[in-house]
Amino acid sequence: MKKKILVTGGTGYIGSHTAVELINEGFEVVIIDNLYNSEIEVIERIEKITGTKPGFEVLDICDNEKLTDFFSRNKNISAIIHFAAYKAVGESVRKPLEYYRNNLVSLINLMEAMKKFMVSNLVFSSSCTVYGQPEKLPVTEDAPLQPATSPYGNTKQVGEAIIRDTVSSDENIRAIALRYFNPIGAHPSALIGELPRGIPENLVPYITQTAHGLRDELKVFGNDYDTPDGYCIRDYLHVVDLAKAHVVAVKRLTDGKNKSGYEVFNLGTGQGVSVLEAIQAFERATGVKVKYRVVDRRPGDIEKIWADPSYANIELGWKTISTLDQAMKTAWDWENQIRKK
Ligand code: UD1
């Protein structure tokens, strides 16, 4: 019998790519999403790619009554991958209570449901934001966490703590927190990808929208950083590679291969790439020029961060496969596909 995996936020950017990889690997996928930041059409897109329609319900995990009702109707869930969350750093500074409520109440509700309905395994979307500006690069999982620079970042730190403490209080619950670096790109079919609402906050959607003529120019936030070319450095990984890590994490938990009840993994390429290098990679991969202008630094930006992914490489047997140029090309194909409508 197929193992059933609940994917919260499964119509979102990383969630939809993960649903595809789970189905490809023979799992049964059930998605819950409140469609706050995604489109129901994604379900058909997942079916188009995989030939299988995932189960789907519109559900807000903050609504505990509806969540309890969902679990009482959906038995035998082998694992939960919890993506559903708000993720805009800037917005979180303006609306902290909404971020704390949405991202933390949902997690608490979900873990209470796990206890009540005997669901043992959880994979959590965390972020490299928990490291702040690390002293040592590349950053390893045991690097000290730094005070978060935004309410969004705080929800990831507190989210990890909620999970860690729950795991240590309950031997029936196991969890893996995955600390993503910067996910970019889209599925090679160009049927699913990132769909930012309004003006994108993230670099790559801003690049593709500017290249498409939707935005006049990309504002590059600072080139006076203490880095080789003066631009901020990040670790950009292809979203399909990232999605595959979730499948591996689910298998590790459901096969009982985890080494402790709560594990944390960095998911990145291990390569630091500057904003300028990212723009150049886009131009190289697509043959399209991006108009950009250097402006002031963005408050709260980390100067440089990239992963040491060796723990995930060794323990999970996972590593990134796609190059930066390939990821940029898929982001561009996706942008062109959505603008066709
Ligand atoms: C941020 C969060 C990360 C979160 C992600 C989700 C921090 C430190 N990082 O990543 O945890 O998971 O958002 O959305 O809170 N840039 C420009 N012009 C733009 C946009 C971005 O120059 O218009 C630059 C930024 O200065 C940065 C790089 O591009 O150097 C990447 O920015 P972005 O895509 O927003 O991601 P992060 O800030 O790294």
Side-chain angles (χ1 to χ4, degrees):
M1 218 178 62
K2 285 183 175 185
K3 282 181 183 156
K4 195 195 282 184
I5 312 300
L6 172 62
V7 182
T8 78
T11 49
Y13 175 44
I14 307 171
S16 58
H17 288 82
T18 300
V20 165
E21 298 307 321
L22 284 167
I23 294 169
N24 286 344
E25 287 289 313
F27 289 96
E28 180 186 345
V29 172
V30 180
I31 290 173
I32 53 178
D33 199 304
N34 65 0
L35 299 176
Y36 167 79
N37 194 19
S38 59
E39 306 290 332
I40 194 162
E41 217 188 332
V42 169
I43 299 295
E44 271 95 65
R45 301 286 183 99
I46 293 170
E47 184 182 10
K48 230 178 187 173
I49 296 169
T50 62
T52 303
K53 192 170 187 160
F56 176 66
E57 279 189 35
V58 180
L59 202 153
D60 191 331
I61 310 163
C62 288
D63 186 336
N64 213 5
E65 232 171 85
K66 291 213 173 104
L67 187 69
T68 305
D69 172 61
F70 171 85
F71 276 98
S72 56
R73 288 182 286 106
N74 287 271
K75 296 278 157 53
N76 305 320
I77 292 172
S78 298
I80 301 172
I81 311 182
H82 180 42
F83 292 104
Y86 292 165
K87 62 166 184 178
V89 176
E91 185 183 58
S92 79
V93 176
R94 295 189 299 276
K95 302 175 177 172
L97 293 176
E98 286 181 34
Y99 269 68
Y100 287 122
R101 175 186 294 279
N102 187 65
N103 291 5
L104 298 178
V105 171
S106 57
L107 177 62
I108 293 165
N109 286 350
L110 202 61
M111 294 207 83
E112 279 175 350
M114 287 177 74
K115 287 169 86 77
K116 192 165 170 196
F117 293 94
M118 311 286 275
V119 180
S120 293
N121 302 310
L122 177 70
V123 177
F124 178 63
S125 295
S126 191
S127 165
C128 69
T129 196
V130 299
Y131 297 118
Q133 176 60 66
E135 273 174 28
K136 272 195 243 143
L137 287 167
V139 65
T140 50
E141 288 83 353
D142 55 8
L145 305 191
Q146 311 248 8
T149 52
S150 70
Y152 159 78
N154 241 336
T155 67
K156 292 299 174 192
Q157 286 194 353
V158 176
E160 284 194 10
I162 289 171
I163 295 167
R164 190 196 56 224
D165 293 344
T166 307
V167 166
S168 58
S169 74
D170 185 339
E171 59 180 24
N172 293 319
I173 294 187
R174 299 174 284 273
I176 292 180
L178 299 175
R179 292 180 179 157
Y180 313 153
F181 283 67
N182 288 56
I184 62 163
H187 194 266
S189 64
L191 286 166
I192 52 172
E194 193 170 4
L195 258 186
R197 278 176 309 159
I199 301 170
E201 289 209 25
N202 296 116
L203 179 65
V204 172
Y206 214 105
I207 289 179
T208 56
Q209 290 197 6
T210 307
H212 210 277
L214 245 72
R215 312 273 158 215
D216 291 340
E217 60 179 11
L218 166 73
K219 289 179 192 64
V220 171
F221 301 132
N223 65 351
D224 57 352
Y225 283 99
D226 181 19
T227 58
D229 64 10
Y231 295 81
C232 278
I233 295 178
R234 296 287 183 276
D235 183 336
Y236 298 95
L237 76 160
H238 195 299
V239 67
V240 173
D241 284 335
L242 179 61
K244 288 180 176 164
H246 294 76
V247 179
V248 179
V250 158
K251 285 185 182 164
R252 181 177 176 90
L253 289 172
T254 55
D255 294 345
K257 298 271 168 58
N258 53 309
K259 288 209 167 139
S260 63
Y262 176 63
E263 297 180 304
V264 177
F265 295 95
N266 280 345
L267 298 181
T269 65
Q271 301 293 318
V273 168
S274 78
V275 174
L276 184 62
E277 288 169 333
I279 296 169
Q280 289 165 345
F282 176 85
E283 294 184 338
R284 203 167 47 230
T286 64
V288 182
K289 287 271 166 218
V290 182
K291 195 173 164 215
Y292 70 88
R293 182 163 57 94
V294 178
V295 300
D296 283 350
R297 293 179 176 196
R298 179 170 69 176
D301 259 343
I302 298 302
E303 181 170 86
K304 50 189 168 204
I305 186 163
W306 63 97
D308 180 340
S310 43
Y311 190 53
N313 297 162
I314 295 161
E315 271 300 317
L316 298 178
W318 169 90
K319 66 176 173 50
T320 58
I321 294 165
S322 286
T323 63
L324 179 61
D325 290 28
Q326 285 167 340
M328 290 292 185
K329 177 69 170 65
T330 59
W332 182 232
D333 290 345
W334 164 246
E335 184 72 51
N336 285 317
Q337 193 277 123
I338 47 180
R339 301 301 156 204
K340 256 196 269 167
K341 283 191 218 159

